[in-house]
Amino acid sequence: MPSPSLAILGAGLAGLSLAEALIHQGFPATDLLIVDPIRPGAGASGIPGALVHPLPGRSLRPKPGYGEAFAFTCTWLQQWPQHLWRTTQVLRLAPNPEGRERMAQSLAQARSESPDHPLLAQVQTLDAATLQVLWPGLTAEQAFAVPARTVHLKALITHLSTHLKQQDHTFITPEHLAVNTTPGGWALTTPQGRETVAQLVLTPGIALNTWFPQLRLSQVHGEVQILHQPAWNGVEVALSGSGHLAPLPDGSWVAGATFYRAEQPGSAAEARTWIGHRLGHLVPHWESAQEQQIWHGQRTVIVPDREPVAGAVPGYPHLWVLSGLAARGLLWGPLLAHHMAHSLMGETVVWPAAVRPERLPPQSWELASIGW
Ligand SMILES: Cc1cc2nc3c(=O)[nH]c(=O)nc-3n(C[C@H](O)[C@H](O)[C@H](O)COP(=O)(O)OP(=O)(O)OC[C@H]3O[C@@H](n4cnc5c(N)ncnc54)[C@H](O)[C@@H]3O)c2cc1C
């Protein structure tokens, strides 16, 4: 078997969607090595149910690049089996009349700035009567309906990794890894031996901070609750306000998500209380739903702008990074993986300004050591 020429460290959504994009664009699978200390989906990408829509946050004014990223994700999902993702709408709810006014103003402003924006044309303002048809008994007077998708991300990761295995790439989970520069690229040393690759891509989620200690990165814990057989079964749309509740492809629902900075994860009971407090007063018969699971994970958040980092690492030839996907893994991940695959294959790519590593202070990219 030929030696790999490119290694990806980290087998989450970032790493696997990159591997898949490379192979899709004609990169030989046998030249690809994926390394993870645990297993595919061991990090944040193991989340059972995730929601993606193009207007996250409190405003309805799309941030630069979000519309394009969402459109890319929608097309990207279509290649995967239907039981892994679902088309829906998300009803954006404001917590109070002032919040509602701010959202309406942000939408009006966005429409006046970009009258032809295809995404803004799809946002609908719904009154109380329409809401009662979509979600009988919902406690809300007005909402903005935005196109959305939900994804069984854990199952999608399993699918991606099985799909990649069939293409004959190499995947290893070594107990230890040490990475050093060599004249031609990077040497990866594991208890099993040494491999030299020309290009190295870092997609390790929260571990990025141990390799670049000066990168300002925050690890934000969170939980989601998976619910089944709720009284509102038959409703087809998701809710998003100070929490979200969304229908998954298999008929279950995802509710969440909590978020907090702490040394240790909180308890399942705390998560359950928080989620019930945020959603229980909005949704009739909240208590009817049965809990299947509370899932915990950690988001990798780049300070201060909470946007990802993707591209060549400044100052290090043949070293690349795709991380910091925060709570928007499905919004940014597939598009950035696509751009990176093109870059790695020598093509010129215009990266969205929001994600460029150069936007961060230069010392962020001082490398300590790579490995575990
Ligand atoms: C509670 C919660 C709710 C969320 N909800 C949503 C949502 O609704 N919609 C959405 O789009 N996103 C959501 N996200 C975010 C989404 O899960 C992440 O953005 C995405 O999964 C990150 O993918 P990743 O590949 O960058 O990182 P990860 O999935 O964390 O993958 C990193 C991989 O690197 C491996 N690794 C760890 N240490 C090392 C190391 N030292 N070296 C090499 N590899 C290493 C890990 O084993 C792991 O497999 C949520 C996250 C959380 C925590």
mmCIF file of all heavy atoms in Angstrom, residues 9-15 35-39 41-45 47 49-52 153 203-205 207 211 220 222-224 244 257-258 295 297-299 322-323 325-331 371-372, ligand 1:
data_model
loop_
_atom_site.group_PDB
_atom_site.id
_atom_site.type_symbol
_atom_site.label_atom_id
_atom_site.label_comp_id
_atom_site.label_asym_id
_atom_site.label_seq_id
_atom_site.Cartn_x
_atom_site.Cartn_y
_atom_site.Cartn_z
ATOM 1 N N LEU A 9 -5.779 15.165 11.705
ATOM 2 C CA LEU A 9 -5.812 14.802 13.131
ATOM 3 C C LEU A 9 -7.154 15.216 13.714
ATOM 4 O O LEU A 9 -7.393 16.404 13.948
ATOM 5 C CB LEU A 9 -4.684 15.483 13.909
ATOM 6 C CG LEU A 9 -3.246 15.218 13.475
ATOM 7 C CD1 LEU A 9 -2.265 15.726 14.537
ATOM 8 C CD2 LEU A 9 -3.005 13.737 13.236
ATOM 9 N N GLY A 10 -8.012 14.231 13.954
ATOM 10 C CA GLY A 10 -9.328 14.495 14.531
ATOM 11 C C GLY A 10 -10.420 13.988 13.607
ATOM 12 O O GLY A 10 -10.499 14.405 12.451
ATOM 13 N N ALA A 11 -11.241 13.063 14.106
ATOM 14 C CA ALA A 11 -12.268 12.440 13.262
ATOM 15 C C ALA A 11 -13.671 12.844 13.711
ATOM 16 O O ALA A 11 -14.512 12.006 14.011
ATOM 17 C CB ALA A 11 -12.103 10.921 13.259
ATOM 18 N N GLY A 12 -13.896 14.156 13.756
ATOM 19 C CA GLY A 12 -15.249 14.670 13.990
ATOM 20 C C GLY A 12 -15.828 15.132 12.666
ATOM 21 O O GLY A 12 -15.356 14.756 11.576
ATOM 22 N N LEU A 13 -16.838 15.987 12.744
ATOM 23 C CA LEU A 13 -17.467 16.512 11.525
ATOM 24 C C LEU A 13 -16.430 17.204 10.637
ATOM 25 O O LEU A 13 -16.419 17.028 9.414
ATOM 26 C CB LEU A 13 -18.585 17.489 11.909
ATOM 27 C CG LEU A 13 -19.295 18.175 10.765
ATOM 28 C CD1 LEU A 13 -20.084 17.168 9.916
ATOM 29 C CD2 LEU A 13 -20.233 19.267 11.280
ATOM 30 N N ALA A 14 -15.531 18.003 11.255
ATOM 31 C CA ALA A 14 -14.541 18.744 10.467
ATOM 32 C C ALA A 14 -13.626 17.770 9.722
ATOM 33 O O ALA A 14 -13.458 17.869 8.495
ATOM 34 C CB ALA A 14 -13.726 19.668 11.374
ATOM 35 N N GLY A 15 -13.028 16.831 10.448
ATOM 36 C CA GLY A 15 -12.052 15.924 9.840
ATOM 37 C C GLY A 15 -12.681 15.000 8.802
ATOM 38 O O GLY A 15 -12.136 14.809 7.705
ATOM 39 N N VAL A 35 -6.228 10.333 11.940
ATOM 40 C CA VAL A 35 -5.744 9.917 13.260
ATOM 41 C C VAL A 35 -6.657 10.534 14.319
ATOM 42 O O VAL A 35 -6.947 11.734 14.271
ATOM 43 C CB VAL A 35 -4.292 10.409 13.493
ATOM 44 C CG1 VAL A 35 -3.694 9.762 14.739
ATOM 45 C CG2 VAL A 35 -3.408 10.134 12.288
ATOM 46 N N ASP A 36 -7.107 9.715 15.259
ATOM 47 C CA ASP A 36 -7.947 10.225 16.354
ATOM 48 C C ASP A 36 -7.576 9.431 17.602
ATOM 49 O O ASP A 36 -7.393 8.215 17.524
ATOM 50 C CB ASP A 36 -9.439 10.033 16.020
ATOM 51 C CG ASP A 36 -10.342 10.810 16.949
ATOM 52 O OD1 ASP A 36 -10.481 10.411 18.128
ATOM 53 O OD2 ASP A 36 -10.923 11.828 16.513
ATOM 54 N N PRO A 37 -7.457 10.094 18.762
ATOM 55 C CA PRO A 37 -7.079 9.331 19.947
ATOM 56 C C PRO A 37 -8.179 8.394 20.434
ATOM 57 O O PRO A 37 -7.893 7.442 21.175
ATOM 58 C CB PRO A 37 -6.799 10.412 21.001
ATOM 59 C CG PRO A 37 -7.505 11.627 20.526
ATOM 60 C CD PRO A 37 -7.583 11.530 19.039
ATOM 61 N N ILE A 38 -9.408 8.628 20.022
ATOM 62 C CA ILE A 38 -10.511 7.810 20.583
ATOM 63 C C ILE A 38 -11.245 7.076 19.444
ATOM 64 O O ILE A 38 -10.980 5.906 19.192
ATOM 65 C CB ILE A 38 -11.484 8.687 21.405
ATOM 66 C CG1 ILE A 38 -10.680 9.523 22.424
ATOM 67 C CG2 ILE A 38 -12.517 7.822 22.133
ATOM 68 C CD1 ILE A 38 -11.466 10.576 23.162
ATOM 69 N N ARG A 39 -12.144 7.752 18.767
ATOM 70 C CA ARG A 39 -12.919 7.124 17.681
ATOM 71 C C ARG A 39 -13.636 8.239 16.915
ATOM 72 O O ARG A 39 -13.773 9.356 17.443
ATOM 73 C CB ARG A 39 -13.954 6.128 18.222
ATOM 74 C CG ARG A 39 -14.953 6.764 19.114
ATOM 75 C CD ARG A 39 -16.060 5.863 19.624
ATOM 76 N NE ARG A 39 -16.947 6.703 20.408
ATOM 77 C CZ ARG A 39 -16.727 7.066 21.660
ATOM 78 N NH1 ARG A 39 -15.666 6.620 22.309
ATOM 79 N NH2 ARG A 39 -17.562 7.868 22.292
ATOM 80 N N GLY A 41 -16.346 10.712 15.929
ATOM 81 C CA GLY A 41 -17.508 11.218 16.667
ATOM 82 C C GLY A 41 -17.347 11.188 18.175
ATOM 83 O O GLY A 41 -18.323 11.305 18.911
ATOM 84 N N ALA A 42 -16.104 11.056 18.675
ATOM 85 C CA ALA A 42 -15.905 11.010 20.132
ATOM 86 C C ALA A 42 -16.082 12.388 20.759
ATOM 87 O O ALA A 42 -16.303 12.500 21.963
ATOM 88 C CB ALA A 42 -14.509 10.479 20.451
ATOM 89 N N GLY A 43 -16.000 13.455 19.966
ATOM 90 C CA GLY A 43 -16.140 14.814 20.501
ATOM 91 C C GLY A 43 -17.544 15.354 20.303
ATOM 92 O O GLY A 43 -18.538 14.606 20.370
ATOM 93 N N ALA A 44 -17.636 16.644 20.023
ATOM 94 C CA ALA A 44 -18.937 17.309 19.903
ATOM 95 C C ALA A 44 -19.784 16.709 18.784
ATOM 96 O O ALA A 44 -21.019 16.776 18.829
ATOM 97 C CB ALA A 44 -18.732 18.800 19.653
ATOM 98 N N SER A 45 -19.144 16.110 17.788
ATOM 99 C CA SER A 45 -19.904 15.570 16.648
ATOM 100 C C SER A 45 -20.677 14.301 17.003
ATOM 101 O O SER A 45 -21.411 13.774 16.160
ATOM 102 C CB SER A 45 -18.966 15.286 15.476
ATOM 103 O OG SER A 45 -18.229 16.437 15.163
ATOM 104 N N ILE A 47 -23.091 14.316 18.894
ATOM 105 C CA ILE A 47 -24.421 14.799 19.313
ATOM 106 C C ILE A 47 -25.508 14.075 18.503
ATOM 107 O O ILE A 47 -25.430 13.999 17.287
ATOM 108 C CB ILE A 47 -24.516 16.339 19.152
ATOM 109 C CG1 ILE A 47 -25.825 16.876 19.747
ATOM 110 C CG2 ILE A 47 -24.393 16.772 17.705
ATOM 111 C CD1 ILE A 47 -25.869 18.412 19.840
ATOM 112 N N GLY A 49 -28.745 14.815 17.997
ATOM 113 C CA GLY A 49 -29.652 15.627 17.173
ATOM 114 C C GLY A 49 -29.185 17.067 17.117
ATOM 115 O O GLY A 49 -28.973 17.684 18.157
ATOM 116 N N ALA A 50 -29.015 17.611 15.914
ATOM 117 C CA ALA A 50 -28.542 18.995 15.780
ATOM 118 C C ALA A 50 -29.438 19.736 14.799
ATOM 119 O O ALA A 50 -30.008 19.145 13.874
ATOM 120 C CB ALA A 50 -27.101 19.007 15.292
ATOM 121 N N LEU A 51 -29.526 21.042 15.029
ATOM 122 C CA LEU A 51 -30.363 21.915 14.208
ATOM 123 C C LEU A 51 -29.448 22.876 13.453
ATOM 124 O O LEU A 51 -28.466 23.361 14.024
ATOM 125 C CB LEU A 51 -31.277 22.710 15.152
ATOM 126 C CG LEU A 51 -32.130 23.829 14.568
ATOM 127 C CD1 LEU A 51 -33.238 23.264 13.680
ATOM 128 C CD2 LEU A 51 -32.767 24.655 15.702
ATOM 129 N N VAL A 52 -29.772 23.141 12.197
ATOM 130 C CA VAL A 52 -28.983 24.146 11.464
ATOM 131 C C VAL A 52 -29.942 25.059 10.724
ATOM 132 O O VAL A 52 -30.894 24.611 10.078
ATOM 133 C CB VAL A 52 -27.929 23.492 10.528
ATOM 134 C CG1 VAL A 52 -28.541 22.488 9.584
ATOM 135 C CG2 VAL A 52 -27.164 24.543 9.725
ATOM 136 N N LEU A 153 -26.569 13.798 13.884
ATOM 137 C CA LEU A 153 -25.143 13.978 13.567
ATOM 138 C C LEU A 153 -24.314 12.745 13.936
ATOM 139 O O LEU A 153 -23.424 12.347 13.179
ATOM 140 C CB LEU A 153 -24.601 15.243 14.264
ATOM 141 C CG LEU A 153 -23.220 15.701 13.831
ATOM 142 C CD1 LEU A 153 -23.046 15.771 12.324
ATOM 143 C CD2 LEU A 153 -22.877 17.059 14.431
ATOM 144 N N THR A 203 -7.823 19.059 12.973
ATOM 145 C CA THR A 203 -9.278 19.177 13.182
ATOM 146 C C THR A 203 -9.640 18.537 14.535
ATOM 147 O O THR A 203 -10.533 17.696 14.608
ATOM 148 C CB THR A 203 -10.061 18.469 12.049
ATOM 149 O OG1 THR A 203 -9.637 17.100 11.981
ATOM 150 C CG2 THR A 203 -9.857 19.119 10.707
ATOM 151 N N PRO A 204 -8.947 18.924 15.622
ATOM 152 C CA PRO A 204 -9.110 18.174 16.873
ATOM 153 C C PRO A 204 -10.134 18.768 17.840
ATOM 154 O O PRO A 204 -10.113 18.417 19.022
ATOM 155 C CB PRO A 204 -7.706 18.272 17.487
ATOM 156 C CG PRO A 204 -7.275 19.663 17.097
ATOM 157 C CD PRO A 204 -7.918 19.958 15.759
ATOM 158 N N GLY A 205 -11.006 19.664 17.366
ATOM 159 C CA GLY A 205 -11.961 20.272 18.302
ATOM 160 C C GLY A 205 -11.223 20.995 19.414
ATOM 161 O O GLY A 205 -10.266 21.742 19.159
ATOM 162 N N ALA A 207 -9.018 20.200 21.512
ATOM 163 C CA ALA A 207 -7.595 19.955 21.768
ATOM 164 C C ALA A 207 -6.700 20.977 21.072
ATOM 165 O O ALA A 207 -5.509 21.070 21.382
ATOM 166 C CB ALA A 207 -7.219 18.539 21.332
ATOM 167 N N TRP A 211 -2.255 22.694 21.617
ATOM 168 C CA TRP A 211 -1.189 22.795 20.621
ATOM 169 C C TRP A 211 -0.828 24.261 20.343
ATOM 170 O O TRP A 211 0.307 24.558 20.005
ATOM 171 C CB TRP A 211 -1.605 22.092 19.326
ATOM 172 C CG TRP A 211 -1.954 20.644 19.545
ATOM 173 C CD1 TRP A 211 -1.592 19.882 20.635
ATOM 174 C CD2 TRP A 211 -2.724 19.792 18.709
ATOM 175 N NE1 TRP A 211 -2.093 18.612 20.507
ATOM 176 C CE2 TRP A 211 -2.790 18.517 19.330
ATOM 177 C CE3 TRP A 211 -3.368 19.962 17.480
ATOM 178 C CZ2 TRP A 211 -3.464 17.439 18.767
ATOM 179 C CZ3 TRP A 211 -4.032 18.878 16.931
ATOM 180 C CH2 TRP A 211 -4.069 17.642 17.571
ATOM 181 N N VAL A 220 -16.937 25.423 25.813
ATOM 182 C CA VAL A 220 -18.264 25.674 26.380
ATOM 183 C C VAL A 220 -19.045 24.362 26.457
ATOM 184 O O VAL A 220 -19.377 23.751 25.446
ATOM 185 C CB VAL A 220 -19.035 26.716 25.533
ATOM 186 C CG1 VAL A 220 -20.384 27.023 26.153
ATOM 187 C CG2 VAL A 220 -18.223 28.000 25.405
ATOM 188 N N GLY A 222 -22.168 21.789 27.214
ATOM 189 C CA GLY A 222 -23.602 21.878 26.955
ATOM 190 C C GLY A 222 -24.238 20.504 26.874
ATOM 191 O O GLY A 222 -23.553 19.490 26.684
ATOM 192 N N GLU A 223 -25.552 20.484 27.074
ATOM 193 C CA GLU A 223 -26.322 19.237 26.946
ATOM 194 C C GLU A 223 -27.516 19.453 26.031
ATOM 195 O O GLU A 223 -28.044 20.564 25.938
ATOM 196 C CB GLU A 223 -26.883 18.776 28.311
ATOM 197 C CG GLU A 223 -25.861 18.206 29.269
ATOM 198 C CD GLU A 223 -25.224 19.288 30.138
ATOM 199 O OE1 GLU A 223 -25.785 20.395 30.199
ATOM 200 O OE2 GLU A 223 -24.164 19.017 30.736
ATOM 201 N N VAL A 224 -27.924 18.365 25.400
ATOM 202 C CA VAL A 224 -29.239 18.334 24.749
ATOM 203 C C VAL A 224 -29.994 17.132 25.317
ATOM 204 O O VAL A 224 -29.396 16.168 25.796
ATOM 205 C CB VAL A 224 -29.157 18.216 23.197
ATOM 206 C CG1 VAL A 224 -28.623 19.490 22.578
ATOM 207 C CG2 VAL A 224 -28.358 17.002 22.754
ATOM 208 N N HIS A 244 -33.900 25.525 22.037
ATOM 209 C CA HIS A 244 -34.549 25.049 20.817
ATOM 210 C C HIS A 244 -35.164 23.672 21.013
ATOM 211 O O HIS A 244 -34.763 22.909 21.895
ATOM 212 C CB HIS A 244 -33.595 25.094 19.605
ATOM 213 C CG HIS A 244 -32.479 24.099 19.660
ATOM 214 N ND1 HIS A 244 -31.190 24.436 19.942
ATOM 215 C CD2 HIS A 244 -32.466 22.764 19.458
ATOM 216 C CE1 HIS A 244 -30.415 23.359 19.903
ATOM 217 N NE2 HIS A 244 -31.169 22.336 19.620
ATOM 218 N N ALA A 257 -30.194 23.964 23.809
ATOM 219 C CA ALA A 257 -29.074 23.294 24.444
ATOM 220 C C ALA A 257 -28.613 24.170 25.609
ATOM 221 O O ALA A 257 -28.696 25.384 25.548
ATOM 222 C CB ALA A 257 -27.935 23.132 23.435
ATOM 223 N N THR A 258 -28.135 23.510 26.668
ATOM 224 C CA THR A 258 -27.545 24.268 27.772
ATOM 225 C C THR A 258 -26.165 24.763 27.342
ATOM 226 O O THR A 258 -25.579 24.237 26.387
ATOM 227 C CB THR A 258 -27.395 23.390 29.014
ATOM 228 O OG1 THR A 258 -26.521 22.309 28.676
ATOM 229 C CG2 THR A 258 -28.739 22.824 29.475
ATOM 230 N N TRP A 295 -27.523 14.104 26.444
ATOM 231 C CA TRP A 295 -26.179 13.996 25.850
ATOM 232 C C TRP A 295 -25.380 15.232 26.229
ATOM 233 O O TRP A 295 -25.883 16.351 26.169
ATOM 234 C CB TRP A 295 -26.300 13.883 24.326
ATOM 235 C CG TRP A 295 -24.957 13.865 23.632
ATOM 236 C CD1 TRP A 295 -24.185 12.775 23.356
ATOM 237 C CD2 TRP A 295 -24.243 15.008 23.134
ATOM 238 N NE1 TRP A 295 -23.033 13.170 22.720
ATOM 239 C CE2 TRP A 295 -23.034 14.533 22.573
ATOM 240 C CE3 TRP A 295 -24.496 16.378 23.111
ATOM 241 C CZ2 TRP A 295 -22.088 15.367 21.992
ATOM 242 C CZ3 TRP A 295 -23.552 17.212 22.537
ATOM 243 C CH2 TRP A 295 -22.360 16.707 21.985
ATOM 244 N N GLY A 297 -21.677 17.488 25.686
ATOM 245 C CA GLY A 297 -20.498 17.689 24.843
ATOM 246 C C GLY A 297 -19.872 19.046 25.125
ATOM 247 O O GLY A 297 -20.346 19.803 25.978
ATOM 248 N N GLN A 298 -18.774 19.336 24.412
ATOM 249 C CA GLN A 298 -18.113 20.636 24.585
ATOM 250 C C GLN A 298 -17.924 21.309 23.237
ATOM 251 O O GLN A 298 -17.440 20.689 22.290
ATOM 252 C CB GLN A 298 -16.755 20.448 25.229
ATOM 253 C CG GLN A 298 -16.838 20.102 26.693
ATOM 254 C CD GLN A 298 -15.452 19.998 27.293
ATOM 255 O OE1 GLN A 298 -14.791 20.999 27.508
ATOM 256 N NE2 GLN A 298 -15.007 18.787 27.539
ATOM 257 N N ARG A 299 -18.288 22.582 23.182
ATOM 258 C CA ARG A 299 -18.108 23.355 21.953
ATOM 259 C C ARG A 299 -16.730 24.023 21.983
ATOM 260 O O ARG A 299 -16.281 24.439 23.050
ATOM 261 C CB ARG A 299 -19.169 24.446 21.841
ATOM 262 C CG ARG A 299 -20.609 23.954 21.992
ATOM 263 C CD ARG A 299 -21.537 25.134 22.166
ATOM 264 N NE ARG A 299 -22.922 24.776 22.405
ATOM 265 C CZ ARG A 299 -23.446 24.547 23.620
ATOM 266 N NH1 ARG A 299 -22.700 24.619 24.715
ATOM 267 N NH2 ARG A 299 -24.726 24.242 23.761
ATOM 268 N N LEU A 322 -8.772 23.472 10.760
ATOM 269 C CA LEU A 322 -10.228 23.639 10.583
ATOM 270 C C LEU A 322 -10.855 23.296 11.929
ATOM 271 O O LEU A 322 -10.965 22.127 12.307
ATOM 272 C CB LEU A 322 -10.734 22.710 9.466
ATOM 273 C CG LEU A 322 -12.255 22.597 9.253
ATOM 274 C CD1 LEU A 322 -12.943 23.946 9.271
ATOM 275 C CD2 LEU A 322 -12.551 21.895 7.944
ATOM 276 N N SER A 323 -11.194 24.335 12.679
ATOM 277 C CA SER A 323 -11.710 24.102 14.039
ATOM 278 C C SER A 323 -12.527 25.316 14.478
ATOM 279 O O SER A 323 -12.843 26.193 13.671
ATOM 280 C CB SER A 323 -10.538 23.840 14.991
ATOM 281 O OG SER A 323 -11.020 23.402 16.244
ATOM 282 N N LEU A 325 -15.656 25.372 15.448
ATOM 283 C CA LEU A 325 -16.987 25.372 14.820
ATOM 284 C C LEU A 325 -18.092 25.750 15.810
ATOM 285 O O LEU A 325 -19.249 25.934 15.411
ATOM 286 C CB LEU A 325 -17.277 24.005 14.185
ATOM 287 C CG LEU A 325 -16.398 23.649 12.978
ATOM 288 C CD1 LEU A 325 -16.708 22.242 12.473
ATOM 289 C CD2 LEU A 325 -16.587 24.641 11.834
ATOM 290 N N ALA A 326 -17.732 25.869 17.083
ATOM 291 C CA ALA A 326 -18.655 26.357 18.122
ATOM 292 C C ALA A 326 -20.004 25.632 18.033
ATOM 293 O O ALA A 326 -20.038 24.412 17.910
ATOM 294 C CB ALA A 326 -18.802 27.877 18.012
ATOM 295 N N ALA A 327 -21.110 26.374 18.061
ATOM 296 C CA ALA A 327 -22.445 25.741 17.993
ATOM 297 C C ALA A 327 -22.948 25.705 16.559
ATOM 298 O O ALA A 327 -24.118 25.453 16.320
ATOM 299 C CB ALA A 327 -23.421 26.502 18.870
ATOM 300 N N ARG A 328 -22.050 25.966 15.598
ATOM 301 C CA ARG A 328 -22.480 26.075 14.196
ATOM 302 C C ARG A 328 -21.737 25.100 13.315
ATOM 303 O O ARG A 328 -21.344 25.425 12.196
ATOM 304 C CB ARG A 328 -22.256 27.505 13.697
ATOM 305 C CG ARG A 328 -23.129 28.454 14.464
ATOM 306 C CD ARG A 328 -22.921 29.883 14.134
ATOM 307 N NE ARG A 328 -23.623 30.654 15.154
ATOM 308 C CZ ARG A 328 -23.211 31.791 15.658
ATOM 309 N NH1 ARG A 328 -22.082 32.323 15.225
ATOM 310 N NH2 ARG A 328 -23.897 32.403 16.583
ATOM 311 N N GLY A 329 -21.531 23.883 13.849
ATOM 312 C CA GLY A 329 -20.774 22.890 13.097
ATOM 313 C C GLY A 329 -21.385 22.600 11.748
ATOM 314 O O GLY A 329 -20.699 22.508 10.727
ATOM 315 N N LEU A 330 -22.713 22.458 11.727
ATOM 316 C CA LEU A 330 -23.363 22.089 10.467
ATOM 317 C C LEU A 330 -23.532 23.275 9.541
ATOM 318 O O LEU A 330 -23.708 23.106 8.341
ATOM 319 C CB LEU A 330 -24.724 21.443 10.757
ATOM 320 C CG LEU A 330 -24.599 20.008 11.240
ATOM 321 C CD1 LEU A 330 -25.863 19.561 11.940
ATOM 322 C CD2 LEU A 330 -24.266 19.073 10.078
ATOM 323 N N LEU A 331 -23.490 24.473 10.098
ATOM 324 C CA LEU A 331 -23.582 25.653 9.228
ATOM 325 C C LEU A 331 -22.267 25.819 8.456
ATOM 326 O O LEU A 331 -22.252 25.966 7.241
ATOM 327 C CB LEU A 331 -23.875 26.899 10.070
ATOM 328 C CG LEU A 331 -24.040 28.193 9.282
ATOM 329 C CD1 LEU A 331 -25.288 28.146 8.410
ATOM 330 C CD2 LEU A 331 -24.122 29.403 10.218
ATOM 331 N N GLY A 371 0.312 16.577 19.547
ATOM 332 C CA GLY A 371 0.294 15.164 19.914
ATOM 333 C C GLY A 371 -0.521 14.917 21.163
ATOM 334 O O GLY A 371 -1.177 15.807 21.673
ATOM 335 N N TRP A 372 -0.456 13.700 21.643
ATOM 336 C CA TRP A 372 -1.128 13.353 22.899
ATOM 337 C C TRP A 372 -0.422 12.190 23.568
ATOM 338 O O TRP A 372 0.365 11.514 22.977
ATOM 339 C CB TRP A 372 -2.610 13.010 22.687
ATOM 340 C CG TRP A 372 -2.901 11.912 21.728
ATOM 341 C CD1 TRP A 372 -2.855 10.558 21.955
ATOM 342 C CD2 TRP A 372 -3.343 12.062 20.360
ATOM 343 N NE1 TRP A 372 -3.222 9.857 20.842
ATOM 344 C CE2 TRP A 372 -3.530 10.749 19.851
ATOM 345 C CE3 TRP A 372 -3.595 13.142 19.514
ATOM 346 C CZ2 TRP A 372 -3.945 10.505 18.534
ATOM 347 C CZ3 TRP A 372 -4.008 12.891 18.229
ATOM 348 C CH2 TRP A 372 -4.189 11.592 17.742
HETATM 349 C C1 LIG B 1 -24.537 20.804 23.549
HETATM 350 C C2 LIG B 1 -24.159 21.057 22.113
HETATM 351 C C3 LIG B 1 -25.156 21.347 21.180
HETATM 352 C C4 LIG B 1 -24.813 21.605 19.857
HETATM 353 N N1 LIG B 1 -25.824 21.816 18.966
HETATM 354 C C5 LIG B 1 -25.529 22.028 17.660
HETATM 355 C C6 LIG B 1 -26.556 22.239 16.700
HETATM 356 O O1 LIG B 1 -27.754 22.194 17.013
HETATM 357 N N2 LIG B 1 -26.188 22.497 15.416
HETATM 358 C C7 LIG B 1 -24.880 22.530 15.020
HETATM 359 O O2 LIG B 1 -24.601 22.754 13.841
HETATM 360 N N3 LIG B 1 -23.883 22.325 15.913
HETATM 361 C C8 LIG B 1 -24.175 22.070 17.211
HETATM 362 N N4 LIG B 1 -23.173 21.853 18.120
HETATM 363 C C9 LIG B 1 -21.782 22.016 17.661
HETATM 364 C C10 LIG B 1 -21.233 20.832 16.869
HETATM 365 O O3 LIG B 1 -21.464 19.656 17.608
HETATM 366 C C11 LIG B 1 -19.731 21.089 16.668
HETATM 367 O O4 LIG B 1 -19.529 22.356 16.084
HETATM 368 C C12 LIG B 1 -19.066 20.068 15.744
HETATM 369 O O5 LIG B 1 -19.463 18.760 16.041
HETATM 370 C C13 LIG B 1 -17.549 20.194 15.900
HETATM 371 O O6 LIG B 1 -16.924 19.262 15.062
HETATM 372 P P1 LIG B 1 -15.330 19.115 15.082
HETATM 373 O O7 LIG B 1 -15.003 18.028 14.132
HETATM 374 O O8 LIG B 1 -14.684 20.436 14.912
HETATM 375 O O9 LIG B 1 -14.967 18.697 16.582
HETATM 376 P P2 LIG B 1 -15.264 17.348 17.375
HETATM 377 O O10 LIG B 1 -16.512 16.710 16.945
HETATM 378 O O11 LIG B 1 -15.108 17.666 18.829
HETATM 379 O O12 LIG B 1 -14.113 16.371 16.899
HETATM 380 C C14 LIG B 1 -12.810 16.423 17.375
HETATM 381 C C15 LIG B 1 -12.203 15.059 17.226
HETATM 382 O O13 LIG B 1 -10.848 15.205 17.584
HETATM 383 C C16 LIG B 1 -10.491 14.164 18.454
HETATM 384 N N5 LIG B 1 -9.433 14.636 19.344
HETATM 385 C C17 LIG B 1 -9.501 14.998 20.635
HETATM 386 N N6 LIG B 1 -8.311 15.293 21.119
HETATM 387 C C18 LIG B 1 -7.487 15.147 20.098
HETATM 388 C C19 LIG B 1 -6.135 15.321 19.972
HETATM 389 N N7 LIG B 1 -5.349 15.685 21.002
HETATM 390 N N8 LIG B 1 -5.614 15.102 18.765
HETATM 391 C C20 LIG B 1 -6.370 14.706 17.706
HETATM 392 N N9 LIG B 1 -7.663 14.520 17.790
HETATM 393 C C21 LIG B 1 -8.200 14.750 18.977
HETATM 394 C C22 LIG B 1 -11.726 13.798 19.226
HETATM 395 O O14 LIG B 1 -11.628 12.432 19.669
HETATM 396 C C23 LIG B 1 -12.798 14.024 18.186
HETATM 397 O O15 LIG B 1 -13.088 12.825 17.489
HETATM 398 C C24 LIG B 1 -23.462 21.572 19.452
HETATM 399 C C25 LIG B 1 -22.464 21.269 20.379
HETATM 400 C C26 LIG B 1 -22.799 21.011 21.699
HETATM 401 C C27 LIG B 1 -21.725 20.659 22.688
#
